[in-house]
Amino acid sequence: MYAIVEIAGQQFKVAQDQKVYVHRLKGEEGSKVTFDTIFLLDNNGTISIGAPAIKGAEVTAKILGHLKGDKVIVFKKKRRKGYIKKNGHRQALTEIQIESITASGAKKTAPKKAETKAEAPKAEAPKAAAVTKDVSSMTVAELKALAKEQGISGYTSLKKAELIEALTK
């Protein structure tokens, strides 16, 4: 039985009683930690894949110790420029031992696709059948109200001739 689990921002393939070095975790030596972000679970040939994670499944581990990784030397040089820079780094790590992998929620079914309901087309706002008044003799307020009824927005950006043509059609 193994699982692919996210621990401290990285994904690891873990099995029971396996020791893993991960980025530094909060917790004392000897304490137990649980990880619930499990992406894949293999239980004796039965593979469960999460979408994105398997609900209910978890991995329990014991913190064995905190330590530093090997020294990494970062050396930068630009030739003929007199530029040399040397830095070192040791990553803070935690050694954990996987104690158990539980698959209580492993039998997750794929989410059902929502049936697309046939929506009735929205009824359009009824337009005024005909303009009874002479548009050229209307006031600006009346033209704005008539334009709003017809669904024309932004009267100020329209020229009066274009508005008259739109309203008389």
Side-chain angles (χ1 to χ4, degrees), residues 5-14 18-26 33 35 61-69 91-98:
V5 61
E6 182 180 10
I7 302 172
Q10 293 182 322
Q11 295 178 11
F12 293 93
K13 178 182 176 183
V14 295
Q18 179 182 3
K19 292 182 181 178
V20 181
Y21 292 99
V22 298
H23 288 301
R24 180 68 55 103
L25 298 175
K26 294 180 181 177
V33 291
F35 307 105
K62 180 180 179 182
I63 296 177
L64 298 178
H66 299 291
L67 54 125
K68 286 187 174 182
Q91 183 68 39
L93 300 174
T94 299
E95 182 181 13
I96 60 172
Q97 182 172 8
I98 307 300

Side-chain angles (χ1 to χ4, degrees), residues 16-73:
Q16 192 167 355
D17 297 327
Q18 179 182 3
K19 292 182 181 178
V20 181
Y21 292 99
V22 298
H23 288 301
R24 180 68 55 103
L25 298 175
K26 294 180 181 177
E28 300 294 322
E29 293 183 14
S31 65
K32 296 186 184 212
V33 291
T34 59
F35 307 105
D36 59 351
T37 308
I38 298 170
F39 301 117
L40 184 136
L41 189 66
D42 182 10
N43 189 2
N44 299 325
T46 305
I47 297 177
S48 300
I49 299 174
I54 300 171
K55 292 183 181 177
E58 67 179 16
V59 173
T60 306
K62 180 180 179 182
I63 296 177
L64 298 178
H66 299 291
L67 54 125
K68 286 187 174 182
D70 294 336
K71 185 179 282 189
V72 177
I73 297 173

Side-chain angles (χ1 to χ4, degrees), residues 104-140:
S104 60
K107 295 182 180 180
K108 180 181 176 184
T109 59
K112 295 181 180 178
K113 293 182 180 178
E115 294 180 13
T116 56
K117 295 180 181 178
E119 295 181 12
K122 294 181 181 178
E124 295 183 16
K127 299 204 175 193
V131 178
T132 58
K133 292 184 180 180
D134 184 22
V135 180
S136 60
S137 65
M138 293 178 131
T139 64
V140 175

